[in-house]
C-alpha cells in the first residue's frame, strides 16, 4: 500500500470514529434531557459560523456563490441537512443507536435505486442483490419478524426511513451542485440554510431565554465540532488520496463504532439477529462500492 493510500484510509477511519462516537454522545445527551431541536439546530448553526469564518479568512473564494444557485443550496440545506439531521437524531432519541444508524445506512442503496429508476444507471445482478441484502438486514435490525417489533417506537421507525431518504437526497442533489463549486462551499451554504430554516421553529430569543448555561453552550459547540467539522475535515482529506468508493467502504466502520460505543457508554445491547442484520446492510454497501470501483 502506498503512503498516500494509507494516509487516505487513516483519514477516513478517523472521520468515522468521530461520526460513530457522536451518535452515542447524542444518545447520552438525550438521556440527560438535552433538547433535541436545540442540539440539531446548534449542530448546523455553530458549524456554519466556524466554517464560514475559517474559509473567509483563508479561502475567501469558497464563500462566494451565484445568486441563481441560492434556491439550490436552500433545498440542499433544508431537506438534505436539516431534514436528515433531525430525522436521524429523532430516531436516536426514540430507539437504540444501532437501529437508527443502520436504517440511515440504507441510503447508498436508495441512491443506486434512484440512479436506476432515472435511467442514469442500468439494473445489474449486484444492485439487485445489494438491495435485497439491505432490505432484509434492516428488517432484522428493527426485528420486524419478531414480537419485539411491537415494542419498538413506530414513529421512530418512520423517522428512520425518513432519515435514509433525506440522506440519499443530500448525496444525489449535492452531487449536482458539486460540479460547480468546491466541496467546502457546498457544506458551508448547506449548513447555513439548515441553520436559517431552524430559526423559524426555534428563534434566537427563544433560545437565549431558555436559560442555557456556559457549560451547555460548550457542549453544543463541542458536539458541532466532533460531529460535523472535524470528521468532514478528515473525510475530505482522505478523498484526496483514495477513491470515493474506497472511502465509502471504509466509512462502514462508523456504525460499528457507534454500536460498540453505545454498548459501552449507554448500555445498549444487540441480539444476534440484529447483529446479523447490521452485517447484511453494511455488506450491501460494500458490495455496491466494490462493483463501482472495479467498473
Amino acid at each position: 500500500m502506498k503512503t498516500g493510500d494509507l494516509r487516505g484510509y487513516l483519514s477516513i477511519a478517523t472521520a468515522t470514529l468521530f461520526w460513530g462516537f457522536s451518535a452515542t454522545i447524542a444518545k447520552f445527551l438525550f438521556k440527560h434531557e438535552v433538547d433535541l431541536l436545540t442540539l440539531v439546530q446548534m449542530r448546523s448553526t455553530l458549524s456554519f459560523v466556524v466554517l464560514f469564518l475559517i474559509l473567509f479568512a483563508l479561502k475567501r473564494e469558497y464563500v462566494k456563490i451565484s445568486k441563481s444557485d441560492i434556491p439550490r443550496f436552500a433545498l440542499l440545506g433544508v431537506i438534505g441537512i436539516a431534514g436528515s439531521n433531525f430525522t436521524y437524531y429523532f430516531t436516536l432519541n426514540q430507539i437504540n443507536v444501532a437501529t437508527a444508524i443502520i436504517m440511515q445506512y440504507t441510503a447508498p442503496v436508495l441512491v443506486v435505486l434512484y440512479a436506476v429508476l432515472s435511467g442514469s444507471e442500468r439494473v445489474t445482478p449486484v444492485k439487485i442483490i445489494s438491495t435485497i441484502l439491505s432490505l432484509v438486514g434492516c428488517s432484522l435490525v428493527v426485528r420486524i419478524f419478531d414480537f419485539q417489533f411491537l415494542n419498538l417506537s413506530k414513529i421512530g421507525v418512520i423517522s428512520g426511513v425518513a432519515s435514509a431518504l433525506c440522506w440519499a437526497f443530500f448525496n444525489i442533489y449535492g452531487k449536482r451542485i458539486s460540479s460547480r463549486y468546491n466541496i467546502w462551499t457546498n457544506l458551508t451554504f448547506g449548513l447555513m440554510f439548515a441553520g436559517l430554516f431552524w430559526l423559524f421553529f426555534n428563534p434566537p430569543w427563544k433560545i437565549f431565554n431558555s436559560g442555557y448555561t456556559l457549560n451547555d453552550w460548550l457542549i453544543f459547540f463541542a458536539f458541532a465540532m466532533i460531529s460535523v467539522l472535524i470528521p468532514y475535515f478528515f473525510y475530505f482529506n482522505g478523498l484526496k488520496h483514495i477513491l470515493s468508493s474506497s472511502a465509502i467502504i471504509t466509512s462502514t466502520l462508523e456504525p460499528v463504532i457507534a454500536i460498540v460505543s453505545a454498548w459501552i457508554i449507554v448500555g445498549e445491547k444487540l441480539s444476534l439477529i440484529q447483529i446479523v442484520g447490521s452485517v447484511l446492510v453494511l455488506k450491501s454497501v460494500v458490495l455496491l462500492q466494490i462493483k463501482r470501483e472495479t467498473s
Side-chain angles (χ1 to χ4, degrees), residues 224-292:
M225 296 304 103
I226 65 174
S227 66
V228 182
L229 293 191
I230 295 175
Y232 269 115
F233 169 79
F234 282 107
Y235 192 82
F236 293 159
N237 185 63
L239 288 177
K240 296 177 183 177
H241 304 287
I242 61 176
L243 295 172
S244 60
S245 53
S246 298
I248 293 172
I249 292 169
T250 307
S251 69
T252 55
L253 284 170
E254 178 190 344
V256 177
I257 293 167
I259 291 169
V260 172
S261 61
W263 171 54
I264 295 172
I265 297 173
V266 293
E268 292 185 350
K269 296 180 181 179
L270 293 183
S271 65
L272 179 60
I273 197 73
Q274 288 178 303
I275 294 173
V276 171
S278 301
V279 172
L280 290 178
V281 173
L282 299 182
K283 183 75 173 178
S284 72
V285 175
V286 171
L287 189 62
L288 278 175
Q289 298 311 318
I290 288 176
K291 184 61 179 177
R292 285 186 164 189

Side-chain angles (χ1 to χ4, degrees), residues 208-224:
F208 288 111
N209 288 331
S210 297
Y212 291 117
T213 64
L214 176 60
N215 188 55
D216 294 328
W217 283 105
L218 288 174
I219 289 173
F220 293 147
F221 180 81
F223 185 73

Side-chain angles (χ1 to χ4, degrees), residues 13-23 25 225-227 230-231 234 257:
T14 303
T16 63
L17 183 69
F18 278 97
W19 276 322
F21 270 118
S22 65
I25 292 170
M225 296 304 103
I226 65 174
S227 66
I230 295 175
F234 282 107
I257 293 167

